[in-house]
Amino acid sequence: MTFNFNESPYQIGGSLADDHPTYVKRDADDKLFQAVLMGKLCYISNARQTGKSSLKVQTISKLTEQGLIGLDINLQGLVETDMSSEKFYFTLCQKIIDNLRRKFNLSIEVDLNSWWQQQSNLSRLYCFQKFIQEVLLQNNDKDIVIFIDEIDRLQDFTWCDDFLGLIRSFHDSRSTKHQYKRLTFVLIGVATPNELIQDTRQSPFNIGTDIELEGFRFEEVTPLINLLGNTIDNPERIMGCILYWTGGQPFLTQRLCQLVSQSEPIPVEDADKTIEELVKREIIDKCEHPDQQRHFEAIEKKIVNNFKSNINLLEEYKNILKFQEIPSSSIDNDVLIQLRLSGIIAKKQGKIKVFSKIYQEVFNETWIESKLDKIRPYDSSMKAWYQSNQKDESKLLRGKDLEKAIKLRQEKTLSVKDERYINASERMSDQRDKEIIVIGTFSLIVVSALTYMFVNYKYASCPIGERVIGLETSFNLPCSRFIISSGEREKLFISGTNFKLEQGVKYFKQKDYVKAQEAFLEAHYSDPTDPVPLIYYNNARARTGHFIQKNPYKIAVVIPIDAYEDVAKEILRGAADAQHEFNNLGGYKGRLLEIIIANDENNERLIRKVAQDLANQKDILGVLGHQASESSEAALPFYEKSKLALVSGNSSSSKLNHKDFPNFFRTISSTKSATEIYTQYITEYLSLKKIAIFYTQGSLYSETLRDDIEKAFQGEKKRICMGDAENPDSKDCQLDIPRQLALLRKENYKAAFLISSVKTNSIALAIARYNLQLPKELRLQLIGALTLSETATLEKGGEALEGMTIVSPCTPSSAYMRDSAKRWQQKKIQWRTATTYDAAQALIAAIKKSGDNPTREEVLKNLPSVSLSPQETSGVAVNWFNSEAPESNLNRKYCLYVIKDGIFKEKYPNKINTNGRD
Amino acid sequence: MANLDILRRKLEHFERELAITSNSESKFELAVRIEECKSEIEECESNINPPSSRSTPTSLEKVYVKRNYLDSYTIEQYCHQKIEEKGALLRINAPQKMGKTSLIFNIREYCQQHNMRAERLSLREFDLQNIQELESFLQCFCQEVSQTLNLPTAVNDHWRSQGIAGNKSKCTSYFEKHILNRDKFPVVLAIDDVECLAPYPDVCQEFFSMLRSWHEAKTEIIWQNLRLIISYSTEQFIELPLNDSLFNVGVNIELREFTEEEVQILASHYEVLEDRVSFEEMTDFVVASPHLMELAFSYFKNNPNYTFEEFLKFAPTQQGVYKDHLRRLLGILNRLPIGKEYKNIVTSNVPVSTDPVIGDQLGRLGLIKWEGNRAIPSCKMYRQYFSRYLK
């Protein structure tokens, strides 16, 4: 019995066999093959059904012809829910042995079960490494390429980072270990590099070759044309029409070829129309047909099920659909990656467009709107509002709807349109509330109304439940929060909300550290600029006890969270970097590092309370911080009493010296070193004989620097008090800025040195503003202190600070600076991050020196002898006790910077000479 | 009686789940399974049939009507040709009682005649406790496969010998060593009632991803010898993570209702002829699934005086030929919110616009047909019966 269903040779779905007649060779084929032959780590991350696995099958077959061994590991049949790392590595080894035996006839003379048991004292990761090194690579002398397909299956496993890190390290070791030159990996899946791995320093994707798969081009599809040719007159013409509709998308192209080969012969003159009808009838109208439903479903799900950014993805896609083609630079990179991995768009020569005309029809405007309507609870009212040209206020959200929308905004990355709409609704609702208050106030008698407003004002910036009353020192913020947290406090930084962070805190409090870890890691991913999630993540990790002991080494970091958010973040980033690195390497002696975050707000009363508290927690081995010199000064007596070391990357006052404060260390040099540069600048490059010095009374830092300068500068100096940190009403310090500036001008001063303290930065800004209002030729050249080198102040200062010079610690570029910038997604890493990283590294080194069970006494004892090379720090060596300033690290030099266009530009003194005076 | 215990345990389990779950999809699946379980228990208790043969269409083996597929070739011929291909994968899906199992038996017979080892394995017969965990399920699966194929079993030894390897990997190597390696004959394995895995998404996902990896391995000779048939009821749709999906490879076989001619052929096997029954009216009145047609014609055959008018009159009642079938559907509808929506549909004279999710579930039960995006009852009998009995 023979019959034939007019079977077509085209295959839709599934990978093509290596000798399949319809395989289409693309540029990526050669690129991958060459890269693998050169031993490069490759990855193919692309949408579903774009020919990834078929390319794998082809490449393995070609490699085999060349005498190489290509091992095909499909994680789909290997990885299981909740798989332990041990099970995974063991199964992986088994698969490798099996693969060698069955496909290459190479048997490995090792009983894996007993071999594995012999290694029971090793970590599982190392066990696998040993297997590769001592079993696989010893077995034969051929080059081995391991293809790992469906790599995204690893995504949810805690050991995924480790595994990918190991693959990277195999490649990194190629230069040193000869035998690793024979080993190459190819990773294949539907995940972005960043989705798979959190730690950019470990990521194999930093060094790999990205193989991008593009749609079939006409020149490439000869095999498909030849097969059409059996039944059709002008197959080239038909193929042109097919590609017009499919954009060369492999699945769609195979499918349409199949449909064409099964249909009646197509007359050449009607080709366009016939194919169009065929596409509409058999694909677009039947997108739910089982042969193609899954294909479209997969694309839809990848976009719609992306909970965090589905609205944004749909809005961006709408834009692309509308304009047909947009430059790739006009779209956020994350959005681009997500859309590309869904398969819906193609990127070619810097332009983005919808991958195929069929997608344009299936995922059309109606489709987008129906999805948005479902996801966005306020879809119709928002559209109505935009239709009214953003004027119809009745279409804005209020009450419960507004609350819902605000919650949505916290959880998702919304489109600009959404943000604008919700913001407008919020403003509207605020206004309404205010009106209500005003009406209410009038109904009260005047006195109580005023009291009411005053009370409200006083606590206005306090978040709910955070009212701290009784900190009556005058420069206090209305609200100072007492915070000491390893992971128990959400909202360390009030601005911004991180849903996962709050969830992690909940788990952390319940002591469910495994779940907390996951949530914190996601929180870190959601907002990579915030250092808190990563610290919390590592704290949870340190307490989990996976393969490690559960009692981590504890250190604390003290920062001004609310008063100087940017500074606090900069400091925390450095600490977080050191901790993350330490924990990633498995800690020391089986123990990881926990960092306790404490808030001192640079507020004396809070400092004392926090320092006392940290001193009392006996398992804390050392403290990083504080920011301001006066803060360190206030805290040090408590630390000294309890033998706790303080390592600061920030407090530079030369009065904080080893003699008076034996517990104090810093990774920068003191105000004395800074003074040298300041004086050099003033005398040699500005050629000035006299200088006005604005200082802050009662600030250790400001007074020290003032004294140091006065001592070093030989010319005439005028001392002006800009404020009193302790007593704002002090008679000596009532500064009338315009009068003072006029006076200085009269006395022929050309430059002013503004030594503000952390509390008087605002006064320095005011001086700068008044200075700016003067005619250009009357303005003073302003010189700033380290305290002004802070992002928020720079932003506030704006134009007034342009041209001001500041001396601050140099930050030579280094591997650390690059990696850290990448991790925190910063353009440039600030010096405080680098110096705090050094401080943390120094503390860690001291802990390591302190034996099996380090105590704070031993850490303190060992700190002076710590010596770190530039490779172990952010790029500048750290050592102490080699000079007249034993507590300072003189390796960290100061550099002269000038503020230009709102940022610091490094200025070498010899260049200032020519254009400095202006 | 052991079977009865298992069934009761299952029923209890499902009812508990239904009470606590809030997801409409899970609720739907559970309601369907509860009614199935109930009818199995009834059958079991009345001792007419042991439950394991519930789905075995004994009578249909005698009366088997082949359905047209393409150009006068039948669906059976198409399946026969496809199963001969190396590493074949057939997916058969249709609502219940549409003849899936019969088709499997038909293919099995063909394969056995053509030098293949072919057997059917129903997941419905697995004990509930073996199905909830991946390890026990895969062990049980290997065991059952060996047994149905009459091969020696070595599951426990094999599992032990593989040390701490993953379960999917153990199952895969079991097939390589103990199932596919026996002789050069291809092994055709028809896995029926796959929807039974739906309540256990973890097991389900891992099982399918393993099957997919087998399918991907068909470049190797040993795996070319495995031919898989996966059969599942569309009433319980299996929602799977797509990246592991088995459902975009292989051949999809969708079984549809009988056409009027096919009904006529079936009827002729029961000696029911056109003078007694109007086939046109019949297919309009009842959904022409093999099972429902067969029930009617065997009744006509056994009761020679029964008239078509009587059939039309009693069918949509609690006493008619279809009373069990209708009661099962009624049970499901009464448990779920879709019941209310269906009441609207059967009582309306015009097509009713229906929420896609609800419509999808009703469609999977075979209760509605679509006219654009509006729904109508799929047959007259349903309209009459449910407008009367549905709460």
Side-chain angles (χ1 to χ4, degrees), chain A residues 51 78 81 90 94 116 159 164 202 226 264 296-297 305 331 544 552 635 679 748 812 843 874 911:
Chain A
L78 194 154
T81 323
F90 180 85
Q94 213 187 31
W116 196 264
W159 38 263
L164 295 176
Q202 258 194 25
N226 292 345
E264 303 284 314
F296 295 118
E297 231 175 64
N305 291 5
I331 180 170
T544 317
T679 15
N748 210 12
L843 254 186
S874 61
K911 289 185 191 155

Side-chain angles (χ1 to χ4, degrees), chain A residues 15 79-81 94 102, chain B residues 162 167-168 206 216 220:
Chain A
S15 54
V79 174
E80 295 168 16
T81 323
Q94 213 187 31
R102 281 194 298 137
Chain B
Q162 298 290 300
N167 292 307
K168 290 197 290 191
E206 299 301 352
E216 290 286 316
E220 291 179 63

Side-chain angles (χ1 to χ4, degrees), chain A residues 116-124:
Chain A
W116 196 264
Q117 271 160 22
Q118 282 160 22
Q119 326 292 329
S120 59
N121 55 335
L122 299 178
S123 86
R124 299 301 96 189

Side-chain angles (χ1 to χ4, degrees), chain A residues 228-277:
Chain A
L228 277 179
N230 297 339
T231 46
I232 287 169
D233 289 345
N234 188 346
E236 284 83 11
R237 176 81 199 280
I238 303 287
M239 185 50 82
C241 299
I242 290 176
L243 291 183
Y244 168 78
W245 280 97
T246 66
Q249 206 287 338
F251 173 89
L252 294 175
T253 308
Q254 292 267 1
R255 171 78 181 140
L256 192 50
C257 285
Q258 184 195 43
L259 287 168
V260 167
S261 73
Q262 280 171 349
S263 67
E264 303 284 314
I266 295 169
V268 179
E269 58 277 12
D270 284 343
D272 298 355
K273 222 176 122 231
T274 321
I275 299 279
E276 177 172 346
E277 277 166 15

